Structures are given as C-alpha cells and as structure tokens.
Amino acid sequence: MHTASLRQLFLQHVAQTSSAPMALEVLRAEGIYLYLADGRRFIDLVSGVSVSAVGHCHPKVVEAVKRQAEQYMHLMVYGEYVQSPQVMLAQRLAELLPQNLSSVYFVNSGSEANEGAMKLAKRYSGRTEMVAFKKAYHGSTQGVLSLMGDEHYKRNFRPLLPDVRMLEFNNVEQLQQITSCTACVLVEPIQAEAGVALPQHDFLKRLRKRCTGVGALLIFDEVQTGVGRTGSMFAFEQFGVVPDVLTLAKAFGGGMPLGAFISSKEIMSSLTHNPALGHITTFGGHPVSCAAALAALDVIESERLLAQVHAKSERFKASMLLNPKVKEVRGRGLLLAVELLDTDLLQRFFKRTLEKGLALDWFLHCNTAFRIAPPLTITEQEVDEACRLLHKCLDS
Ligand code: PMP
C-alpha cells in the first residue's frame, strides 16, 4: 500500500487523542533504530515511552516470543491453569525482590496494575482514603485517573473516586495528612511525567515511616522506572525503601504488553475471599508476554546492562549541558529530562527533531523539557551520534 494512503487511513480510522500525532510510518525496528517507509532512519530516544529497555526486536526476545507462540498462546482466564512462563517469571521476580514482595498478580498494563494495587489496599486495610501526589501519572482508567496529579486531565471526567487526597511530592510536612483513615499511598519513587522529579533528601524514607506508623500501604508505581531504566533493576533499591506493593509494566514485558502488582502472600490473599475473584483478568500474564519478559530479564543480566547505565547517563548529561540553550538536566540513569530555557524553544526544537531523525517525546506535566530515555542497550557511539543530532536541533 502507498505510504500516503496508509497515513490517511491511520488518520481516518485509528483513533488518536493526540492533537498532533507524529505519524511516523515504521516498517521495521532494531536496537535503537526505527526504519521508516520513506527510507529514513530514526533514533529512538524514548523507547516507546520507557518500554524498549533491551532495544527493539532483541533476537533473544523475538526467539522467546516465537517459541512460546508455537507452544501455546492464551489458554484460560488468569490464575486457573499452571502456565510455565508465568510461574517462571513470578519466581524470577521473587528472587529479584525483597522477601515481602513475593506474590505476583499479572495484568496487561500499568493502569491495570495500579488499579489492582488500589483495590488490594482497600480490601486489605478496610479503609477508603487514597493518597497520591501532584504531578503524578498513574494511568488513564477512571480509578487511577482519580489519582492523577493535575486537575486539568481530571476535570471533565468527574465524578471520579471520592476520598482522594493529593499532596505535594517532597513536602515532608504534608505527610501528616496520611492518617489511620488512609488505605494507601500511591507514589512513583521518581515522578517521570512531572519532567523527572527526584525525591529530595529522605522524603521516601519519611513517607515509608509515616505509612508504617498509621498502617497505610505504601505502593510504589515503578511502571516507568522499573526494570533497569534508572540503573538498578527497580528504582526503590537506590533509596533504601521497600514498598508494601510494587507495580510494573512498560519495559517489564520486553516489548510485549504485561503489567503486575506485587505484594506479600498475606496481603495478596485478601483478594481471594469476600468476594473471591477480587480481581479478574482474561489476558493478564499472557504466556507470550511472560516469555518475552523472562527473555528481557536474561538480556539485562547477560549483557550487564545495569552496570553501564550510569556511564551512558553521564555521557548524555555532559554533552547536553554544553549547550547554552539547556538550563538543566535532571534524572537518574537513562530517565533524563533536559530542561530548555522556555516552551517556545522546546516547540521549535521538537519540529527539528522530526526533520533530523530523532524520536522524542514531551512530558505530560512539564512543557519546558524533553525526555531522553533510549533503550539501555544504546552504545557509547550511539549516545554520541544522538547528542550530535540533539545539538543540531537545538542550534539550528
Ligand atoms: N504509571 C506510570 C508511572 C506511567 O508512566 C504510566 C504510563 N505512562 C502508567 C502508570 C500507565 O501505564 P499504561 O499506559 O500501561 O496503562
């Protein structure tokens, strides 16, 4: 089919909520590169928004997908049959995580993982209040939308969940507002869509202490930060704080759709009675997705990707900070926000990146920065190649 007509059909029939979709027509993707129908090659600096941690079409992941697809695909709604990819992945996670995070409920997406975690907290605690933070993003379904950290995105969808309290990230005084009425606190240890806001000082430790003190469950949303993005398998490892519930998605599936909420066996068991089937999913933990996830974890380990994240991050930072139009580079590992002098500059910059072959993206809650979140497999030469193009876009 002719390129133009495929694009027209895309615009006509594939619903978009973006007012300005990039509409790149991708024929093939490999490593950090996207190969387009018009012959151009793009560098993917967003990883499909923090998904392609092991690069596009990593041969080991592709092989695992093929192998599992030939063996079996969907068999039965979640949790009824013993499916080896699910079991092996759950066991692998339990090995990677602290002891209290040993029971894994597989779902399909980040939103669903957080929805499940919120239901779990309500059910376990018998309480109703949920606490989240301004500038947070936890997904787009109505439960998690209730905890979205910006009224702009919620206003026209009300009524949403009642009993939600929004606090300021890094505001230690406001932690007093978490009380014995609070079922859970849902928080990203690093707020990605805020433009990569890092926890200051010992904010997460104090949050942990407060939650423990009042008996509220602490849920870490590591949908974006998990599975190596920040340089450790999970971001929470870097802050010395263990949550009661952990949620994963995005990079977790190695490029396939997969999410999970993970807790202790004791907490998780509250979803099995009164009512039984406290959370249900048909496709959660799809065997092909779980096989891909296992392969991706293997790649992260066998290629020692975590150990290289810091150096690659510093290389990006050092290069970007040489440009006078860059005000600041924030972040951890390969989740970076490059803050420019103003929004107009950022808009002009984005236009040029499309001309120069860079796939980038905005942050939902920050209109002065762009993100750098390439596959963790990016090489140092590729970092330099990307930086050269970024400077060209900033300077032209
Ligand atoms: N939590 C965080 C921190 C996210 O960044 C996202 C997606 N950007 C989600 C949850 C929602 O994930 P999904 O789009 O898979 O529902």
Side-chain angles (χ1 to χ4, degrees):
M1 188 173 290
H2 193 262
T3 303
S5 77
L6 195 62
R7 182 185 297 225
Q8 276 162 2
L9 290 170
F10 163 78
L11 294 171
Q12 181 76 18
H13 296 297
V14 181
Q16 297 108 34
T17 59
S18 160
S19 54
M22 284 184 274
L24 301 179
E25 190 186 332
V26 180
L27 287 186
R28 190 169 71 79
E30 189 181 333
I32 64 157
Y33 295 109
L34 308 175
Y35 297 89
L36 305 195
D38 60 13
R40 289 183 298 160
R41 187 181 79 168
F42 267 57
I43 296 181
D44 184 355
L45 283 184
V46 283
S47 304
V49 186
S50 298
V51 172
S52 324
V54 297
H56 293 281
C57 286
H58 193 291
K60 289 196 174 143
V61 177
V62 173
E63 173 59 28
V65 166
K66 281 187 184 163
R67 211 180 320 120
Q68 184 55 43
E70 280 168 1
Q71 215 166 333
Y72 57 82
M73 290 188 261
H74 179 77
L75 296 178
M76 179 56 177
V77 295
Y78 182 72
E80 291 291 335
Y81 292 177
V82 180
Q83 303 184 33
S84 121
Q86 274 178 0
V87 180
M88 301 315 283
L89 181 57
Q91 187 209 19
R92 182 75 163 270
L93 286 168
E95 280 166 13
L96 290 168
L97 287 163
Q99 227 174 1
N100 69 315
L101 299 172
S102 64
S103 180
V104 183
Y105 192 113
F106 290 111
V107 291
N108 301 282
S109 68
S111 299
E112 195 190 348
N114 288 328
E115 292 282 351
M118 287 159 69
K119 285 172 67 185
L120 178 64
K122 263 182 164 172
R123 184 64 196 83
Y124 179 72
S125 66
R127 305 173 184 176
T128 54
E129 186 188 67
M130 313 254 172
V131 170
F133 293 90
K134 298 196 174 138
K135 296 199 179 175
Y137 183 73
H138 299 296
S140 200
T141 51
Q142 293 190 73
V144 275
L145 183 62
S146 310
L147 302 188
M148 165 81 94
D150 183 345
E151 188 55 30
H152 171 74
Y153 292 103
K154 301 201 266 198
R155 193 175 293 127
N156 292 335
F157 296 103
R158 290 195 181 280
L160 294 168
L161 284 183
D163 235 358
V164 167
R165 191 183 285 276
M166 302 300 297
L167 306 181
E168 282 165 22
F169 193 64
N170 280 326
N171 186 325
V172 172
E173 270 107 69
Q174 288 189 359
L175 295 179
Q176 296 305 315
Q177 295 180 43
I178 300 164
T179 67
S180 55
C181 296
T182 310
C184 64
V185 177
L186 178 57
V187 63
E188 301 157 84
I190 296 172
Q191 285 192 316
E193 294 306 319
V196 193
L198 291 165
Q200 300 298 319
H201 311 298
D202 51 0
F203 179 70
L204 293 179
K205 280 198 175 139
R206 288 178 187 228
L207 173 61
R208 171 71 278 181
K209 200 164 167 216
R210 182 70 189 171
C211 286
T212 306
V214 299
L217 290 189
L218 178 59
I219 306 171
F220 275 176
D221 174 345
E222 291 231 29
V223 167
Q224 194 148 174
T225 52
V227 195
R229 173 98 350 240
T230 67
S232 48
M233 190 57 86
F234 308 101
F236 74 78
E237 296 167 53
Q238 298 181 39
F239 302 107
V241 173
V242 177
D244 301 301
V245 186
L246 175 71
T247 64
L248 300 175
K250 289 196 182 272
F252 180 43
M256 294 291 285
L258 186 66
F261 58 102
I262 305 169
S263 190
S264 68
K265 186 109 185 110
E266 182 227 338
I267 294 175
M268 201 63 95
S269 68
S270 54
L271 288 178
T272 61
H273 57 89
N274 193 23
L277 299 174
H279 195 72
I280 305 178
T281 170
T282 298
F283 283 128
H286 193 285
V288 178
S289 298
C290 288
L294 274 164
L297 289 175
D298 283 344
V299 170
I300 290 174
E301 279 171 23
S302 65
E303 297 186 13
R304 299 177 188 281
L305 294 180
L306 298 184
Q308 303 161 28
V309 167
H310 181 69
K312 292 172 186 176
S313 171
E314 291 301 310
R315 208 170 176 94
F316 269 117
K317 274 191 205 162
S319 176
M320 285 297 99
L321 285 171
L322 292 175
N323 197 300
K325 289 180 180 151
V326 171
K327 204 163 128 189
E328 188 192 11
V329 183
R330 290 185 295 273
R332 191 59 76 88
L334 286 171
L335 181 59
L336 296 173
V338 181
E339 179 91 25
L340 301 189
L341 295 175
D342 59 62
T343 310
D344 288 349
L345 184 59
L346 186 66
Q347 259 160 6
R348 290 200 300 277
F349 166 78
F350 268 114
K351 272 199 198 114
R352 284 184 216 118
T353 58
L354 285 176
E355 294 156 17
K356 298 259 186 273
L358 287 175
L360 286 167
D361 198 23
W362 300 82
F363 291 105
L364 210 52
H365 304 312
C366 173
N367 63 7
T368 45
F370 67 88
R371 80 176 84 213
I372 295 182
L376 309 182
T377 50
I378 193 168
T379 63
E380 297 208 335
Q381 285 103 306
E382 288 169 342
V383 171
D384 294 345
E385 184 190 350
C387 286
R388 261 195 310 277
L389 288 174
L390 286 167
H391 285 294
K392 268 194 188 166
C393 297
L394 285 167
D395 295 338
S396 58

